[in-house]
Amino acid sequence: MIDECASEKKQLSSIAEALARISSAIEPVTETERVELKHGLGRVLAEPVYSAINSPFERNSAMDGYAFSSTDLIPDQTMSLTQVGISWAGQPYQGSLQSGQCVRIFTGAVLPVETDSVVMQEQVQVKASSIIFPAQTQAKQHVRAAGEDSKQGDLVCAAFKKITAIDLGLLASVGIDRLIVTRKVKIAYFSTGNELSALGQPLVSGKIYDSNRYLLSGLLSDVCYQVTDLGVLADDPLQLEDCLLAAAKNHDLIISTGGASVGDADYIKDVLARCGKVDFWKIAIKPGKPLAFGNINDCHFFGLPGNPVAVAVTFQHIVAPALEQLCGTAMSQPLQLLARCTSVLKKSPGRQEYQRGIVSQANNGDLVVVSSGQQGSNILSATSLANCYIVLPIECSGIQVGEQVRIELIKNVASSVISY
Ligand code: AMP
Ligand code: MG
């Protein structure tokens, strides 16, 4: 007798196996383009960036106060120095200083060469041009050294880094105004299914609205992607084949939803096998088991399931890492946190589940997670309420109230962690 469960288990790939196969199949794009720094946010650097200057450019004050030479200090005694000028941010003091003299200085202003220390203005007494320094005045305080942030020639951003807002600030601080980045990845996507109806017309019996293309357009909203919406295709192998062959000519990746399972109207796997190559098509996750990966000539292909929640889960865990590699960055793993679960969660062993949850943070810092509602792979309403996935490993057979679970924060959700 054939053990169907055992034979299905053999066919299923884990996420790690799937990602390893994707990683060895995908070469990052090699073409590059030059962008102005202000357009660099989210792009992937194609080359390392080195500092053009010392940053700070010159020694300057970290405080509003008075700059003086530490050679004037007498240990444990107050001292009086004569103020001979002012060093403003952007307008350094131009004169020179003798022993017994100091200058008024403001944050960011260059220290005169004869000085090496700054005292905060709150700590001195001002009597006309005499500045009385307290006995506990320290030498060499509140001075920022030239190059203490980055030295000229230092690596400031490594190649293949995805540029963040902080990086934009850092790169500007060292005088970089243009970046060489990897070119945008060209992605085409479409929905399949005879039941799909366009928005803007009333539904007739048997039809549903096509939510997946809208969901995908949101998931694919990234400055590194140039996307083409190919619309809705019928469950028709010839139409699917024509579309795949045409789109493969001028895209790096095609994503379809629906028709990836084993029903009589599910043609994606067969069509892909005819016009390209299928690498695998079942992954041990829920939702999202039926998933095809392969290629048509030089174009990669993901055939995602039809159910919208399965589209979201497989995109975020399988397609997004593949896109990271295609864009030139390293594949990243979602950060998992521990939380105490306050719902009973049903599960059968066999697949890793991504149940939808709402995580909040108690006053003591502990994370508490509750199920966001119905867990069917078609249930978008409870997924919309969720701010995290509750990740239940393959062997888990359910969760009781109070058990610790792993969670992953869902990207692209409006509600982040809620505090109470
Ligand atoms: P399939 O994998 O094509 O058998 O689809 C699985 C389930 O997902 C079915 O209930 C489909 O009606 C539904 N589905 C497929 N494509 C979409 C779509 N674009 N939007 C919403 N639901 C879909
Ligand atoms: Mg279908």
Side-chain angles (χ1 to χ4, degrees):
M1 202 173 84
I2 300 166
D3 177 348
E4 282 196 10
C5 257
S7 76
E8 166 151 304
K9 261 189 205 158
K10 266 195 214 150
Q11 288 174 28
L12 298 183
S13 311
S14 69
I15 290 197
E17 284 163 354
L19 289 179
R21 287 162 79 161
I22 289 167
S23 174
S24 60
I26 289 184
E27 292 292 333
V29 294
T30 50
E31 296 95 329
T32 61
E33 61 193 45
R34 208 155 79 131
V35 294
E36 283 182 50
L37 182 67
K38 65 182 175 195
H39 296 135
L41 183 66
R43 300 299 298 269
V44 176
L45 279 179
E47 306 179 339
V49 180
Y50 300 95
S51 177
I53 54 162
N54 279 331
S55 173
F57 189 48
E58 295 164 285
R59 222 171 39 135
N60 67 80
S61 179
M63 292 288 171
D64 292 332
Y66 294 84
F68 64 98
S69 166
S70 58
T71 56
D72 282 335
L73 281 177
I74 312 159
D76 303 323
Q77 282 188 31
T78 59
M79 65 170 182
S80 172
L81 301 181
T82 307
Q83 183 192 328
V84 292
I86 303 177
S87 187
W88 302 92
Q91 197 183 328
Y93 173 67
Q94 298 294 349
S96 56
L97 269 85
Q98 311 289 324
S99 176
Q101 296 180 333
C102 65
V103 296
R104 180 86 170 102
I105 197 162
F106 297 101
T107 307
V110 173
L111 261 73
V113 282
E114 299 87 352
T115 66
D116 60 3
S117 309
V118 172
V119 66
M120 287 164 69
Q121 63 185 32
E122 296 84 343
Q123 293 179 350
V124 300
Q125 278 180 280
V126 180
K127 292 194 174 145
S129 62
S130 292
I131 313 299
I132 318 295
F133 288 60
Q136 63 276 20
T137 303
Q138 302 284 313
K140 302 188 179 172
Q141 294 291 293
H142 311 311
V143 177
R144 299 164 173 166
E148 73 173 17
D149 192 358
S150 306
K151 296 205 170 31
Q152 186 172 15
D154 274 357
L155 177 69
V156 283
C157 284
F160 309 120
K161 184 172 202 284
K162 197 171 171 75
I163 297 296
T164 64
I166 304 294
D167 294 329
L168 293 182
L170 170 62
L171 291 159
S173 76
V174 298
I176 305 296
D177 61 352
R178 267 147 218 272
L179 303 173
I180 307 293
V181 296
T182 56
R183 75 148 163 84
K184 294 189 181 205
V185 168
K186 294 177 219 157
I187 304 165
Y189 61 99
F190 62 88
S191 295
T192 62
N194 291 343
E195 74 276 38
L196 300 180
S197 183
L199 291 177
Q201 57 194 59
L203 284 181
V204 295
S205 175
K207 298 280 186 177
I208 61 169
Y209 286 125
D210 169 19
S211 28
N212 287 346
R213 268 186 316 130
Y214 294 88
L215 171 61
L216 269 184
S217 74
L219 293 168
L220 288 168
S221 153
D222 186 303
V223 284
C224 289
Y225 311 154
Q226 183 185 310
V227 294
T228 314
D229 179 352
L230 297 175
V232 176
L233 271 70
D235 291 315
D236 169 0
L238 292 178
Q239 199 189 337
L240 286 169
E241 192 170 331
D242 285 351
C243 172
L244 285 181
L245 288 170
K249 287 188 186 138
N250 48 9
H251 292 91
D252 302 300
L253 177 75
I254 302 172
I255 303 171
S256 70
T257 66
S261 193
V262 290
D264 287 350
D266 293 335
Y267 297 110
I268 284 291
K269 184 180 161 254
D270 292 344
V271 169
L272 182 62
R274 255 205 319 279
C275 54
K277 186 169 150 271
V278 188
D279 259 22
F280 64 82
W281 70 291
K282 281 187 175 178
I283 303 193
I285 60 173
K286 186 176 176 185
K289 182 173 68 169
L291 186 144
F293 173 63
N295 64 284
I296 303 128
N297 303 318
D298 292 334
C299 178
H300 301 287
F301 175 83
F302 280 104
L304 303 187
N307 280 304
V309 185
V311 171
V313 168
T314 51
F315 183 93
Q316 284 160 336
H317 293 89
I318 310 278
V319 183
L323 282 168
E324 285 176 324
Q325 177 146 329
L326 205 49
C327 293
T329 49
M331 279 188 178
S332 64
Q333 297 277 337
L335 183 68
Q336 295 192 343
L337 306 168
L338 288 176
R340 190 168 52 81
C341 186
T342 56
S343 308
V344 172
L345 304 179
K346 287 193 188 150
K347 177 180 183 301
S348 311
R351 290 193 270 163
Q352 174 147 307
E353 282 196 25
Y354 291 87
Q355 298 206 6
R356 279 69 70 200
I358 301 171
V359 63
S360 53
Q361 189 155 37
N363 285 338
N364 66 1
D366 286 353
L367 296 178
V368 179
V369 67
V370 58
S371 167
S372 72
Q374 293 182 73
Q375 293 294 326
S377 60
N378 58 327
I379 304 291
L380 280 168
S381 52
T383 309
S384 165
L385 295 176
N387 61 4
C388 71
Y389 290 121
I390 305 170
V391 186
L392 303 177
I394 290 182
E395 61 288 352
C396 169
S397 56
I399 295 293
Q400 297 306 317
V401 170
E403 279 190 60
Q404 287 265 340
V405 289
R406 282 178 183 263
I407 60 154
E408 285 173 9
L409 298 181
I410 304 180
K411 292 181 198 156
N412 279 337
V413 290
S415 47
S416 58
V417 178
I418 303 156
S419 290
Y420 62 86

